[in-house]
Amino acid sequence: MSALNQLAKDVLLNYGMEVDEFKIIQNSGLKTIWKFDYNGKTACLKRLRHSKERALFSVNAQVYIQNKGGHVPSIYLNNDHEPLTEYNEQLFVVYEWIESKDLHFGKAEDFKIAMEALARFHTESIGYIPPEEAKVSSKIGKWQSQYESMKKRMLKWKIEASNNLNNKSHKAYFDNIDSIIELADISIGMLEKSSYFDICDNELHKFTLCHQDYGVGNVIYANDGPYVIDLDGVTYDLVIRDLRKIIGKKMQKGGVWKENIIKTTLSYYEKYSKLSPEMLELLKIDLLYPHWFFGDVKNLYKKNKSVSANKIESITKLELSKVSLLKDLF
């Protein structure tokens, strides 16, 4: 038996499970997933890459949602009746395995199912109170500081670009950054005048949990409907965070901003959970902020990866093209 499978075998003894055969589904760095059969059921063991305090937040959130009848995989409790197992200074969780197919966001029917599943997931997460020793993850009330921090970094990178104008990528960044900063300033100004801070003035458990990585592979379709999986990155935030990421990804993929994509996404989501006019205004503000420009260029400046001048030009065009569309939205 390989060392990894021996590790899985040893960990499962903490659940009173004796298992000899495993299939490794994923093995990237610390994160490892083993699939196995036990007592006629299929389950999976997952080794987490988070700290114990952070894992306690997300794992117990999943238990909470499942106990409310939410469609997330159920978690097996260990011999100490805990959802999280510590073994050899590593963290493990055992989940039920759900036979399913991926939902593809490019197919209208699949996308509709996925958006309704997201709305349910958000609603079912309200009321979650993490254990005391958990490290709470929250973005509530932090949008303005996040916007300002991204803007500050982009201005810092402008200085770096100005010293490297013989490089095409840095020149493209330097030529376009002022219009992007203008866009960031508009968003920040609108946020300051919005109802954001009043909405955020509440106890955390009154808010929803956002998935933060909701996309293909993290929502699956089984015989009894859709399931939301891989909740490792959940955080308290307004539902808008997940919706902004989904809409932006679609626009980036299509290379153009389309009003009907925003309206279709929202109509699917709102079949289960209606958004207030204040929330729609916040969605507009968050869509307006140049998140996608920042996401692309940070690879050049923060991660030292090459980003072509063409890519910088095209993401700038995409960001600027949305202004007139969003201005009259809602």
Side-chain angles (χ1 to χ4, degrees):
M1 184 178 278
S2 74
L4 271 179
N5 285 351
Q6 184 61 53
L7 173 64
K9 185 180 165 78
D10 294 343
V11 170
L12 289 177
L13 294 176
N14 292 281
Y15 294 81
M17 297 177 176
E18 285 198 38
V19 181
D20 289 317
E21 284 188 35
F22 299 92
K23 184 179 181 185
I24 294 174
I25 302 295
Q26 187 181 348
N27 182 21
S28 53
L30 197 58
K31 187 177 176 182
T32 311
I33 298 172
W34 296 263
K35 184 180 176 184
F36 64 92
D37 291 322
Y38 180 75
N39 269 0
K41 287 186 177 175
T42 305
C44 73
L45 171 69
K46 185 175 181 181
R47 177 168 62 175
L48 307 179
R49 59 161 71 104
H50 293 298
S51 68
K52 185 179 180 182
E53 292 74 22
R54 181 69 183 89
L56 279 168
F57 181 81
S58 57
V59 170
N60 282 286
Q62 184 155 340
V63 171
Y64 174 80
I65 293 166
Q66 201 250 327
N67 286 341
K68 277 183 79 177
H71 263 208
V72 293
S74 57
I75 291 176
Y76 287 78
L77 301 182
N78 61 24
N79 296 337
D80 297 323
H81 303 286
E82 295 290 342
L84 193 63
T85 298
E86 206 169 352
Y87 181 83
N88 278 359
E89 296 181 351
Q90 295 169 9
L91 300 170
F92 299 86
V93 185
V94 177
Y95 303 92
E96 70 168 320
W97 182 269
I98 295 163
E99 288 301 334
S100 60
K101 68 176 182 97
D102 280 345
L103 288 169
H104 293 286
F105 284 34
K107 291 181 184 169
E109 191 53 38
D110 279 15
F111 188 53
K112 182 170 180 268
I113 293 166
M115 285 302 99
E116 286 179 23
L118 179 64
R120 282 196 174 91
F121 171 81
H122 283 155
T123 306
E124 284 148 358
S125 71
I126 297 169
Y128 170 57
I129 298 172
E132 272 182 33
E133 61 272 34
K135 183 183 181 185
V136 174
S137 175
S138 172
K139 304 285 194 300
I140 296 293
K142 296 176 182 173
W143 282 18
Q144 187 178 11
S145 59
Q146 186 196 11
Y147 286 6
E148 295 281 9
S149 167
M150 288 158 82
K151 177 188 158 184
K152 197 174 167 184
R153 278 187 274 177
M154 288 191 285
L155 287 170
K156 187 181 156 200
W157 297 336
K158 180 184 176 181
I159 297 165
E160 200 176 318
S162 71
N163 294 324
N164 293 284
L165 292 178
N166 54 339
N167 175 293
K168 283 182 183 173
S169 298
H170 291 297
K171 173 123 180 31
Y173 182 87
F174 186 79
D175 289 347
N176 290 291
I177 189 57
D178 288 349
S179 55
I180 291 293
I181 294 296
E182 211 173 296
L183 200 54
D185 283 336
I186 293 168
S187 306
I188 292 165
M190 286 174 74
L191 189 70
E192 285 168 350
K193 293 191 188 94
S194 75
S195 55
Y196 177 72
F197 300 99
D198 288 337
I199 289 170
C200 290
D201 187 20
N202 213 331
E203 296 165 276
L204 286 180
H205 70 273
K206 303 272 177 72
F207 293 96
T208 52
L209 290 171
C210 280
H211 188 282
Q212 294 207 94
D213 190 22
Y214 195 77
V216 179
N218 286 339
V219 54
I220 54 177
Y221 197 73
N223 288 334
D224 58 342
Y227 279 78
V228 178
I229 63 170
D230 206 356
L231 274 61
D232 295 355
V234 290
T235 188
Y236 289 114
D237 206 349
L238 307 182
V239 301
I240 303 310
R241 184 176 202 87
D242 280 338
L243 290 170
R244 183 262 294 168
K245 288 186 174 191
I246 291 160
I247 291 166
K249 202 175 272 187
K250 273 188 165 284
M251 302 303 183
Q252 215 172 354
K253 203 171 181 183
V256 62
W257 277 78
K258 289 183 178 174
E259 187 175 338
N260 69 313
I261 289 178
I262 300 173
K263 293 201 163 164
T264 303
T265 304
L266 295 180
S267 73
Y268 292 160
Y269 183 90
E270 289 193 295
K271 272 194 176 139
Y272 189 82
S273 183
K274 197 86 180 130
L275 296 170
S276 66
E278 291 81 9
M279 280 290 182
L280 290 171
E281 179 64 17
L282 292 175
L283 174 60
K284 183 200 285 194
I285 293 166
D286 206 25
L287 285 171
L288 199 58
Y289 195 88
H291 292 283
W292 299 276
F293 178 90
F294 180 86
D296 278 353
V297 299
K298 77 174 179 189
N299 288 318
L300 179 65
Y301 292 101
K302 200 177 161 192
K303 298 181 180 176
N304 249 340
K305 290 180 181 172
S306 67
V307 178
S308 72
N310 281 348
K311 192 169 188 184
I312 293 170
E313 297 278 0
S314 64
I315 194 65
T316 303
K317 272 186 198 149
L318 188 65
E319 289 283 24
L320 299 179
S321 72
K322 68 190 179 184
V323 180
S324 56
L325 182 151
L326 289 173
K327 197 176 65 172
D328 303 319
L329 200 62
F330 315 134

